């Protein structure tokens, strides 16, 4: 079931949201192979950010909310990862802390 948004065409309408799993090539490829249309990369800052020592987890309704403190490799490292992922629709997420 293809999905088109303006000039972008995705193989499915499922787009996985940004999370800690999407900071390495292996995980991104693995999740894309599971028939999603695109992946939103881990939110990335200009400089690497260590984040919290341990994730903060809170029960929220019927689910949980997890905060990692913006852990990310920084924009330069993220660009290196993206260059290796040709053919996978990726959506960037950038923050300026």
């Amino acid at each position: 079931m293809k999905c088109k948004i303006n000039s972008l065409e995705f193989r499915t309408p499922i787009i996985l949201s940004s999370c800690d799993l999407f900071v390495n090539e292996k995980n991104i490829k693995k999740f894309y192979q599971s028939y999603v249309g695109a992946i939103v990369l881990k939110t990335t800052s200009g400089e690497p950010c260590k984040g919290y020592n341990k994730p903060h987890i809170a029960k929220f309704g019927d689910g949980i909310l997890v905060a990692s403190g913006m852990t990310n490799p920084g924009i330069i490292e993220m660009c290196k990862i993206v260059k290796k992922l040709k053919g996978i629709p990726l959506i960037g997420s950038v923050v300026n802390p």
Side-chain angles (χ1 to χ4, degrees), residues 29 35 45 49 52 57 63 72 76 78 80 85 90 92-93:
K29 284 181 177 179
Y35 304 102
S45 54
C49 184
Y52 303 137
I57 301 172
N72 73 83
I76 292 173
M78 187 60 83
K80 291 177 185 176
L85 297 167
L90 302 171
S93 178

Side-chain angles (χ1 to χ4, degrees), residues 4-97:
K4 191 170 184 179
I5 302 172
N6 291 328
S7 63
L8 301 175
E9 190 171 309
F10 304 103
R11 63 183 182 181
T12 74
I14 300 168
I15 298 175
L16 296 181
S17 64
S18 172
C19 75
D20 290 341
L21 295 173
F22 304 143
V23 293
N24 71 56
E25 181 183 356
K26 181 181 174 185
N27 282 345
I28 293 168
K29 284 181 177 179
K30 177 181 174 183
F31 278 90
Y32 184 67
Q33 290 171 352
S34 66
Y35 304 102
V36 300
I39 294 175
V40 179
L41 297 170
K42 173 72 174 131
T43 301
T44 306
S45 54
E47 297 296 324
C49 184
K50 184 178 176 195
Y52 303 137
N53 288 334
K54 296 179 183 177
H56 295 255
I57 301 172
K59 187 161 175 49
F60 188 74
D62 290 333
I64 59 170
L65 181 64
V66 180
S68 64
M70 295 302 297
T71 302
N72 73 83
I75 197 74
I76 292 173
E77 286 303 312
M78 187 60 83
C79 286
K80 291 177 185 176
I81 293 166
V82 168
K83 286 181 181 180
K84 298 176 187 176
L85 297 167
K86 302 215 185 306
I88 298 177
L90 302 171
I91 300 169
S93 178
V94 181
V95 65
N96 184 10

